[in-house]
Amino acid sequence: MHTPNYPALLRAACATFLLLAASACGSAPKQDAPPAPGNAGLLAQIEAEVGAAACDSTQQCQTIAIGAKACGGPERYLAWSSKDIDGKKLKALAQAHAEASRKQQQSDGMMSTCAIVTDPGASCEAGRCVLQKSGLGGNAAM
């Protein structure tokens, strides 16, 4: 008569349980996930439109909201210059990127920290528009 090998059965049961537990963890909603791959093309277009963000004065420096958090508001801000571009195309690209981010987050059930990202403003430093340190304010264009 054949006697079952209980240690081998126990190991197989444990391995199956661990595999099921690991796969269940992988399906949990993502926290602050990176932008969806489809948004990478839009982000590249935004960065190309901004270019070097060359400036002669701080008055030419603007900020634009980039992306969208699942709880609302932008993921971050980007400094740009009105010296070489008028901003219409840039704003349209940023809006398309934010909308694509929102749609992707909804379909994936993503969550975020819900922390508010404030517009830091931008200034001209060494001939290039850069984001200011927090709390200094600036020119927003969104």
Side-chain angles (χ1 to χ4, degrees), residues 21-142:
S23 67
C25 290
S27 65
K30 298 173 186 170
Q31 299 269 340
D32 287 330
N39 290 343
L42 284 169
L43 186 56
Q45 290 178 32
I46 291 168
E47 290 171 346
E49 186 69 16
V50 167
C55 58
D56 299 317
S57 69
T58 295
Q59 287 73 27
Q60 296 169 327
C61 297
Q62 309 289 318
T63 57
I64 192 159
I66 301 295
K69 290 185 137 204
C71 288
E75 294 172 7
R76 64 186 176 105
Y77 285 86
L78 185 65
W80 66 281
S81 175
S82 62
K83 178 180 177 180
D84 296 323
I85 60 174
D86 70 5
K88 289 179 185 177
K89 180 179 178 184
L90 178 62
K91 290 175 189 177
L93 287 169
Q95 288 174 346
H97 180 264
E99 183 60 30
S101 293
R102 281 189 286 277
K103 285 181 181 177
Q104 186 67 46
Q105 291 163 2
Q106 285 178 337
S107 70
D108 290 349
M110 294 160 106
M111 298 185 301
S112 72
T113 61
C114 298
I116 296 171
V117 179
T118 58
D119 185 345
S123 61
C124 187
E125 294 181 16
R128 184 167 186 251
C129 291
V130 296
L131 293 176
Q132 293 182 350
K133 306 286 187 269
S134 294
L136 297 179
N139 299 327
M142 182 62 195

